[in-house]
Amino acid sequence: EVQLVESGGGLVQPGGSLRLSCATSGFTFSIYAMTWVRQAPGKGLEWVSTISGSGSSTYHADSVKGRFTISRDSSKNTVFLQMNSLRDEDTAVYFCTKLGCSSTGCKYTSRGNWFDPWGQGALVTVSS
Amino acid sequence: DIQMTQSPSSLSASVGDRVTITCRSSQTINGYLNWYQQQPGKAPQLLIYGTSHLQNGVPSRFSASGSGTDFTLTINSLQPEDLATYYCQQSYSTPPAFGQGTRVEIK
């Protein structure tokens, strides 16, 4: 069974930093791209960042580019999201999710892929 | 970037009713459309991928269809456990984009 478990959330002041972790199990980690999606309180889902299976390629939403960095450690089957220069509007639950492989491939740029499964989420609150 | 628009934003229906949710993309997405269910207080779960393919374990009362820019999710015979917010998501081009969600309430 595929499992994703996030940790590292908490309360941080504006301008501060936080590092989220997503421990995975139940699948061949190096094959699959991994993604962070966030959800502000009472709002919808927003794609944040994706990292390729090898870790050689990363992608970030414009709203976090230059502030957030996604990475992965294949020895620990874990994905990270380093969040710097945090703003009030970064307050959200951050979900880790695995990018499924479609008939066109397993890359972030492959068409027809999907997010499954999802972790339980980690709450990040940015407030003074 | 492709924008996704869902309607309605919320609906209320009775157990046993048939419910339909619509999702429209700002440009054609070649059928690369997924649906997720998010029950209250839980993480989203994949329901349907590629317009109409049910994810393993999803009850058969869920179905979906569409083409071009217009897609629908249908719940036949609504059940109490279907209380949730439903999101569509396009996987035709990057960045991936979600609709704003449709909240389904039980009367």
Side-chain angles (χ1 to χ4, degrees):
Chain A
E1 179 191 7
V2 175
Q3 288 194 322
L4 309 175
V5 180
E6 299 96 335
S7 60
L11 173 64
V12 60
Q13 292 187 336
S17 298
L18 210 57
R19 188 197 199 200
L20 301 182
S21 300
C22 172
T24 77
S25 61
F27 64 100
T28 304
F29 185 67
S30 61
I31 292 177
Y32 295 94
M34 298 296 295
T35 293
W36 290 94
V37 174
R38 70 183 179 183
Q39 185 171 40
K43 302 297 184 182
L45 303 171
E46 178 190 14
W47 170 77
V48 175
S49 303
T50 296
I51 186 167
S52 63
S54 67
S56 60
S57 299
T58 60
Y59 311 88
H60 298 277
D62 289 343
S63 58
V64 306
K65 202 169 290 183
R67 301 187 299 120
F68 290 13
T69 302
I70 189 171
S71 62
R72 62 194 294 159
D73 183 339
S74 59
S75 68
K76 298 179 181 179
N77 289 352
T78 299
V79 183
F80 304 98
L81 187 66
Q82 177 67 45
M83 304 183 292
N84 299 329
S85 302
L86 282 160
R87 306 167 179 167
D88 290 351
E89 57 264 33
D90 295 319
T91 293
V93 174
Y94 287 73
F95 296 101
C96 170
T97 180
K98 171 175 158 283
L99 192 65
C101 295
S102 71
S103 59
T104 65
C106 302
K107 297 181 179 180
Y108 167 68
T109 51
S110 300
R111 288 178 172 164
N113 48 29
W114 54 82
F115 301 119
D116 178 67
W118 299 57
Q120 84 286 355
L123 176 62
V124 172
T125 303
V126 184
S127 175
S128 53
Chain B
D1 296 358
I2 296 176
Q3 313 298 321
M4 307 299 292
T5 304
Q6 289 181 232
S7 61
S9 297
S10 65
L11 64 90
S12 181
S14 300
V15 172
D17 283 353
R18 182 180 186 183
V19 167
T20 299
I21 298 168
T22 297
C23 176
R24 175 167 289 175
S25 54
S26 59
Q27 63 188 74
T28 186
I29 55 174
N30 206 28
Y32 294 126
L33 190 283
N34 306 318
W35 289 96
Y36 300 86
Q37 177 194 62
Q38 186 177 31
Q39 295 172 319
K42 294 190 175 182
Q45 289 184 296
L46 177 68
L47 274 182
I48 288 169
Y49 60 94
T51 296
S52 61
H53 301 278
L54 257 64
Q55 173 69 336
N56 291 340
V58 173
S60 58
R61 64 180 178 273
F62 290 92
S63 64
S65 63
S67 64
T69 61
D70 296 315
F71 301 87
T72 60
L73 172 69
T74 299
I75 310 173
N76 285 295
S77 188
L78 187 70
Q79 298 300 303
E81 60 266 31
D82 300 333
L83 166 71
T85 300
Y86 295 84
Y87 295 92
C88 61
Q89 176 244 328
Q90 67 85 15
S91 57
Y92 177 74
S93 69
T94 57
F98 295 89
Q100 81 279 15
T102 296
R103 178 182 294 182
V104 174
E105 299 176 342
I106 310 295
K107 283 182 183 175

